[in-house]
Amino acid sequence: MASSPEKPHHHLPPLFATAAPPPTPSSHPNLTPQPTTPDFLSHLLHRLPPSLSPTLPTRRSQLSSSTSTTTTTTAPIIPLFAPTPSLHSSSLLSASTELGFFHLTHHRIPAHLPLSAESAALSLFSLPLHRKQLLFPSNWPLGHDVDDDDDGATESFCLDSSISTESTDELGFDALREFSREMEKLGMNILEELCSAVGFHSPAPNNLCPLMWVSDGKSKPGRVYPYALALHYQIRSEKQSLFSDSGWVSVMGQADSVFVTLGDIAQVWSNGKLKKVRGRPFPSSSDDIINPHSITMSLPITLPVESTIYPLLPDLIDNEENEDAVDSTNNSIRDKRLFDSFSFEDYAWRVYNERLLPKDPLVRYRVR
């Protein structure tokens, strides 16, 4: 049984010290939790030395798709057509507000690259344990991790998206590095168009933190980490299981597509307009064509740990204001603010250790 990783008290650094971590967003100050906020206790615990800091329980029973009612569906397909690829805002908005996931086809990721990246990533799992720990030391959430619970162990590597170090050059990681770069570029484009379609400004790229998450092909969720959106390349047409706002969903595969899921950060940014997927999709246990030697390669776009999460839609009204408040510029009814501001680090640490539980972890941050 794996022990809980030690919670850091610093910025989220890259796994390899070749690039500086993204700076703290400057457009909104971090809020110090007050005694009436749900994170007050966690804020106090942050002040303890690491050796005295308690950890959250990690052995809770994880919510399993095998013991829950699962709906099978086909995800919307949004093509990016040449010569001027762009997302169709209406299709993007519909898929994002009704489901929270979709397939992206006709993208510009070179056809040979995913298989080459998969081959490089597979070599990680064949390394001796001491080499994994040496090359990929645990630095939450980065590094090598074996998540061992009652349903068995899952192994994963969480890497900074640059994947640049002399230590990995000997492993032939050029293809994985290039693949990560192409996925990141596509993800930033999707996020920008999504923000435009919903109606708020996209955060600056240097206020975002892309990661490359490589996991074994086990049919279980594994670790959960918050993200705005995540890209999951589907080399083969494998059915995927995911936990959405409507419960467990089994999504039909689409070979050579990028499966896009929206996360909890995007839902807060949109003030609840967007649906979300909790955690990353994983191969469905009911799919007879699962390749036992396959892995999953996901690129979640998340935030630096020192960030504060809050709705980004303009002109929201607080609980104390009149619910029928009217925008003086266009006489339209203003939306009511649904989420309080909260610490990303506290939230990320909580969901990482509590795993997938039936209760939505965002409920505690909803405005009452």
Side-chain angles (χ1 to χ4, degrees), residues 97-322:
T97 56
E98 295 175 13
L99 294 172
F101 54 86
F102 53 89
H103 286 293
L104 200 63
T105 61
H106 298 82
H107 48 75
R108 286 186 166 180
I109 298 177
H112 73 279
L113 193 54
L115 277 173
S116 299
E118 182 186 55
S119 177
L122 272 169
S123 66
L124 292 175
F125 296 92
S126 61
L127 291 172
L129 179 60
H130 74 276
R131 288 280 289 162
K132 295 174 182 176
Q133 295 173 339
L134 176 65
L135 294 175
F136 309 99
S138 180
N139 188 12
W140 178 79
L142 301 174
H144 172 248
D145 178 69
V146 178
D147 181 21
D148 192 2
D149 60 19
D150 295 340
D151 297 324
T154 56
E155 187 176 13
S156 65
F157 296 84
C158 182
L159 314 175
D160 180 84
S161 62
S162 63
I163 318 176
S164 54
T165 179
E166 294 180 359
S167 301
T168 57
D169 288 343
E170 62 186 79
L171 300 175
F173 270 18
D174 289 345
L176 184 59
R177 188 178 301 117
E178 183 183 353
F179 175 70
S180 176
R181 189 161 50 242
E182 291 293 329
M183 290 274 277
E184 179 180 340
K185 188 189 308 179
L186 179 59
M188 292 297 186
N189 179 33
I190 297 171
L191 182 58
E192 183 177 354
E193 296 213 26
L194 180 64
C195 293
S196 176
V198 176
F200 58 89
H201 294 295
S202 176
N206 63 348
N207 288 340
L208 300 170
C209 185
L211 302 172
M212 173 54 69
W213 213 299
V214 181
S215 303
D216 59 23
K218 299 288 180 59
S219 297
K220 54 180 297 187
R223 292 287 191 181
V224 177
Y225 195 76
Y227 58 82
L229 63 79
L231 280 63
H232 322 272
Y233 199 96
Q234 290 207 291
I235 297 177
R236 306 162 191 87
S237 182
E238 295 179 346
K239 191 182 297 183
Q240 300 289 305
S241 293
L242 56 86
F243 192 46
S244 70
D245 281 334
S246 59
W248 281 107
V249 180
S250 183
V251 182
M252 303 302 295
Q254 178 77 23
D256 299 319
S257 72
V258 176
F259 187 43
V260 180
T261 58
L262 306 184
D264 27 18
I265 297 173
Q267 186 169 69
V268 175
W269 282 350
S270 69
N271 199 44
K273 293 182 181 294
L274 298 176
K275 298 294 186 181
K276 70 173 180 298
V277 171
R278 291 168 56 188
R280 289 166 286 119
F282 56 93
S284 174
S285 58
S286 62
D287 197 336
D288 295 333
I289 65 171
I290 286 180
N291 180 354
H293 303 293
S294 70
I295 57 174
T296 60
M297 298 183 294
S298 300
L299 189 134
I301 296 179
T302 182
L303 298 173
V305 294
E306 71 273 10
S307 304
T308 298
I309 310 176
Y310 54 94
L312 297 182
L313 285 178
D315 300 323
L316 294 176
I317 63 172
D318 294 324
N319 251 0
E320 294 77 13
E321 298 184 50
N322 185 351

